[in-house]
Amino acid sequence: MTNQPRPTKSLPTRARIVVIGGGAIGASIGYHLVKEGEPDVVLVEKSRLTDGATWHAAGLVGQFRSHRNLTRIMQDSARLFETLGEETDQDIGWKRVGSLRVAASQDRWMELQRAATAGRSFGFEIELFGPAEAAELYPLLATEGLVGAAFIAGDGHVDPYSLTHAYAKGMRAGGGKVFEGVQVTDLVRDANRITHVVTDHGTMEAEVVVNAAGLWARQIGWMAGVNLPAAVLEHQFVVTDKSDAIPADLPTLRDPDGGFYAKPEPGALAIGGWERYTPPVNPIEGFPWDKAQYLFEGAVDRLGEVFEPAARRIPVLEELGIRAFINGPIPISPDGEPLMGLAPGLDNFFVSCGFTSGIAASGGAGKAMAGWILDGDPGLDLWAFDVRRFGELHSNPRYLHDRAIEAYSRYYALHFPDEESAAARGVRRSPLYQALAGKGAVFGSKFGWERANFFAPEGDPGPAGWERKGEAGTVGREHQAARQGVVMVDMSSFTKFEISGRGATEFLQYMAVGNVDRNPGGAAYTQLCNEHGGIEADVTIIRRSDDRFWMITGSALGVRDGGWLRTHVDRFRGVEIRDITSSHGVINLAGPLARKVLEKVTDVDVSHEGHPFMTARQINIGHAPALAFRVTYIGELGWELYIPAEYMQHAYEVLAAAGAEFAITDIGYRAVDSLRLEKRYLAWGSDITPDYNPIEAGLGFVIDWDQGEFLGREALARVEQAGPSQKLVYLGLEEPIAVFGGEAIFVDGEAVGQTTSGNFGYTVGHSLALGYVPSATATADSFEVESFGRRTPATRITRAAYDPNRNNILC
């Protein structure tokens, strides 16, 4: 490489922590590590600080995100920006001018109302007002066609170059070292650890390595033997000529219906957006190492998609020339969210990359990563950012870039609940895919699996939206079939692990809070908790024989839950963990008439006495072998039938034929969600996460205090003794408003919490929601739930809304 800075001092031969990458993210991680009292940190940047994506970033800082914890990261950034300049004596150009987001459609206005409600639930203020008030805040605004607007006073913009140098300055002041002009050329791996960082200026031994290499993160990952789903795409914006017509201290403006943003510059505007298509950059070999400060030629045709609606909304743009055209590379993941955390398969290699809003996130992300690295805990559940939400499929270059381009193009799109990607579909299919498609299945995608969301036999899936219009004829019909007759659900996408060996029982007893030491054929529903008592996984464990177990978890949780097991298995000898997901499909046969169907196709006793609840036994379905596990997630008599993949179609056909006289019905996952909520069955990732423990979630009955040592026992014992600070409440809404999770919960007019999930209960006839509130308010006589700006009274349900005595299950 030419014109690269040379290190001004010698590279050390060892460091406790080596951070790779000198953009805003890497510099922030270094800064926060030394702020947390770890001075032995070395940051290496192959060219100059900010080179890569940081130097050409627009610098917008918006705080609100779709999830409370993601918003908290952005809030941490904004709080830091208020003080960082003074602390480091480095002006970072922070301008807290606020941000205005306008709505040009009723659906967009509902989205803003939903955001305001969610923010209110955890004390984040979003002001809503009409077009006229928006024009007062933003005098350049043409209000034609606007429905409303949202304003966040704490948002603004920052100078990415100065911000990054402030992080680096603060890092040096705390004892950390920053080296520019040092390129990493290799990483030395020994089993599950990176032991040395090899550079063109020497080799460093390291205890921890952090990949914050931005545009080059994928290649750094390859050096560690990790295939990261971090793509690079083109992103462009323009800066107008200066004009006296542009007022000082304008807020930033986002018009998602127009697909553009406008950032104020001194006397000018920066206009950018998210086009329908943007090209991938070097999808196979990765971004070129020597393109440290690189811009592509401007794509005027793509710019038109953004600039034309911007000029209609901000008419002064028609009078201004273009002073600068920036078309630079940006990193992005398959779902548009960053990659953070410990890389799967490694014990000391952390990643923090794939940020499309890296400047805005840098302060909070650096703080979270410092906690993750030093304490093993980012301080809050970051599953939406966690690198473990992806697997090897997502790093396939074609899959990665197809999904990344779609995520980019939909950055400002309306994101309705349960929306599905259209790119890279049909990748993983159950053996029943064609049969279900022939019956009108409308498929969704989960970890690459095609899964039936619902069935629309007439071919019309109904409109997408915020109000669940038309779902009574699909989801509601399937829901009632499960409650009144017999249904089948293809659940082949379940992740299935086989844990075997002489230490398997001891290992699982340590990992699980519940007792899994059952007789062969016995099963346990349990949580796997961390040392703080937070719920890392929500699983079912079936004992197949004395030293062999199956653990069943969610379709998208295989990398996470498998990694959690492997992180702790080394202390137990003779334990093998195998992912057997692809070898077995699953048919969930359920409903009041399920036994009548099953007894027609098998020769074994499937009565309640012959096959009790939470037991599994080997049976035949027609000519197909199957493990029949009597369990339910919908609150009805039922079995999960684990069938070798090659027998799946035969077993399905046999069950369908046997169930014909009972009007057996295929149902999808949206009906499953409605059914499980009527039973207060919880979902990991929303109702339970590492932020919550089993006692808070009402799952204390699962904990077996007599089984000896288990992970999280001490922390849970403290909660049990002192009582939880918060509790999960189960609410029935008096008015039929749509709830999805994220709504504010009120007691006596005060926002006390946020719903974690919500749906309509078609059997009980009203909407249901779950959410955490302080323990002091958990037994309140009355609640209110606010959805899209509208509040409705809600009644606390102490057990289950449907079949609270479990009569339909234990029969």
Side-chain angles (χ1 to χ4, degrees), residues 436-477:
L436 300 182
K439 293 184 175 182
V442 178
F443 291 98
S445 177
K446 180 73 74 172
F447 213 72
W449 284 96
E450 293 294 312
R451 310 190 315 174
N453 280 336
F454 56 91
F455 290 78
E458 304 303 319
D460 180 12
W466 300 112
E467 298 173 313
R468 292 201 165 100
K469 291 181 179 178
E471 288 194 6
T474 53
V475 176
R477 175 184 58 82

Side-chain angles (χ1 to χ4, degrees), residues 325-636:
F325 200 135
I326 295 94
N327 184 15
I330 63 165
I332 187 169
S333 74
D335 63 6
E337 300 290 6
L339 309 174
M340 295 175 66
L342 192 61
L346 285 164
D347 298 334
N348 70 334
F349 184 68
F350 288 84
V351 300
S352 189
C353 58
F355 288 81
T356 55
S357 300
I359 306 304
S362 61
K367 178 182 176 181
M369 287 300 301
W372 223 329
I373 294 162
L374 297 177
D375 304 322
D377 181 7
L380 65 174
D381 172 41
L382 292 180
W383 173 239
F385 283 6
D386 198 313
V387 66
R388 295 171 295 174
R389 73 189 187 276
F390 294 127
E392 195 63 28
L393 164 68
H394 302 91
S395 298
N396 174 303
R398 290 190 178 184
Y399 187 101
L400 165 60
H401 288 84
D402 284 353
R403 278 290 174 97
I405 291 167
E406 181 186 54
Y408 176 97
S409 71
R410 292 189 55 76
Y411 196 85
Y412 276 166
L414 278 161
H415 296 290
F416 294 119
D418 301 319
E419 72 170 359
E420 297 287 351
S421 293
R425 293 296 300 270
V427 180
R428 302 178 77 181
R429 305 185 191 188
S430 156
L432 304 185
Y433 175 85
Q434 294 295 346
L436 300 182
K439 293 184 175 182
V442 178
F443 291 98
S445 177
K446 180 73 74 172
F447 213 72
W449 284 96
E450 293 294 312
R451 310 190 315 174
N453 280 336
F454 56 91
F455 290 78
E458 304 303 319
D460 180 12
W466 300 112
E467 298 173 313
R468 292 201 165 100
K469 291 181 179 178
E471 288 194 6
T474 53
V475 176
R477 175 184 58 82
E478 295 170 22
H479 178 117
Q480 296 295 4
R483 289 283 184 250
Q484 298 169 7
V486 57
V487 298
M488 288 190 288
V489 192
D490 182 6
M491 293 183 167
S492 298
S493 62
F494 275 174
T495 301
K496 315 162 194 79
F497 290 103
E498 184 172 83
I499 298 122
S500 60
R502 63 181 185 274
T505 304
E506 182 187 6
F507 170 57
L508 289 174
Q509 287 288 84
Y510 173 73
M511 295 299 296
V513 302
N515 179 22
V516 303
D517 190 7
R518 310 295 176 92
N519 292 326
Y525 164 64
T526 185
Q527 289 77 48
L528 313 185
C529 290
N530 56 39
E531 62 182 5
H532 306 294
I535 300 171
E536 293 286 345
D538 185 61
V539 302
T540 305
I541 297 175
I542 306 169
R543 191 168 200 165
R544 301 299 317 275
S545 62
D546 287 342
D547 59 359
R548 185 166 63 100
F549 297 80
W550 280 9
M551 187 181 91
I552 315 302
T553 188
S555 306
L557 301 177
V559 174
R560 180 192 173 91
D561 292 359
W564 185 249
L565 292 175
R566 294 183 179 98
T567 298
H568 296 87
V569 76
D570 287 348
R571 61 177 286 188
F572 300 89
R573 293 187 176 182
V575 178
E576 181 182 2
I577 301 168
R578 292 194 309 125
D579 189 328
I580 59 170
T581 300
S582 297
S583 65
H584 286 74
V586 182
I587 297 173
N588 181 206
L589 179 72
L593 303 181
R595 181 176 285 121
K596 292 185 178 296
V597 175
L598 191 59
E599 63 190 6
K600 289 179 64 176
V601 301
T602 191
D603 298 326
V604 303
D605 182 4
V606 293
S607 67
H608 180 62
E609 296 74 19
H611 194 167
F613 186 64
M614 291 302 288
T615 63
R617 63 189 299 189
Q618 200 68 35
I619 69 170
N620 291 318
I621 299 172
H623 305 302
L627 178 72
F629 175 31
R630 188 167 166 208
V631 69
T632 183
Y633 189 54
I634 67 171
E636 299 291 347

Side-chain angles (χ1 to χ4, degrees), residues 747-748 776-783 796:
V747 172
D748 296 330
T777 61
T779 56
D781 293 331
S782 61
F783 294 82
R796 180 170 57 91

Side-chain angles (χ1 to χ4, degrees), residues 113-321:
Q113 290 176 309
R114 176 173 165 80
T117 293
R120 195 170 297 124
S121 71
F122 55 92
F124 186 84
E125 270 310 309
I126 301 176
E127 298 179 67
L128 297 178
F129 39 66
E133 293 169 285
E136 290 178 13
L137 272 173
Y138 204 95
L140 303 178
L141 194 68
T143 60
E144 183 180 357
L146 291 186
V147 179
F151 182 70
I152 299 175
D155 287 354
H157 55 90
V158 70
D159 177 7
Y161 179 90
S162 297
L163 173 66
T164 304
H165 279 273
Y167 287 141
K169 193 172 181 180
M171 178 183 169
R172 292 188 188 100
K177 299 179 178 65
V178 178
F179 293 88
E180 298 177 282
V182 175
Q183 179 166 346
V184 174
T185 58
D186 199 9
L187 298 172
V188 179
R189 178 171 174 168
D190 182 7
N192 295 334
R193 298 186 66 81
I194 302 299
T195 60
H196 294 81
V197 178
V198 182
T199 80
D200 58 356
H201 284 76
T203 297
M204 287 181 290
E205 183 182 356
E207 293 182 28
V208 175
V209 179
V210 184
N211 178 1
L215 302 174
W216 299 274
R218 196 158 158 240
Q219 290 104 298
I220 294 294
W222 290 338
M223 294 178 188
V226 176
N227 207 6
L228 294 174
V232 178
L233 307 178
E234 293 184 21
H235 178 67
Q236 59 187 1
F237 64 93
V238 296
V239 181
T240 70
D241 288 336
K242 293 186 177 184
S243 170
D244 292 338
I246 298 176
D249 295 326
L250 277 174
T252 61
L253 174 69
R254 295 172 178 84
D255 181 348
D257 292 308
F260 76 90
Y261 59 79
K263 174 201 168 189
E265 298 277 341
L269 292 172
I271 305 294
W274 308 88
E275 314 96 297
R276 289 188 297 272
Y277 174 81
T278 188
V281 182
N282 291 59
I284 303 300
E285 62 271 21
F287 194 71
W289 292 105
D290 61 343
K291 306 297 186 186
Q293 286 196 1
Y294 183 78
L295 295 178
F296 305 99
E297 184 177 345
V300 178
D301 55 336
R302 294 194 346 252
L303 179 66
E305 289 184 42
V306 172
F307 199 84
E308 289 174 12
R312 289 192 294 271
R313 186 62 62 203
I314 310 173
V316 72
L317 291 175
E318 296 281 10
E319 305 168 15
L320 301 178

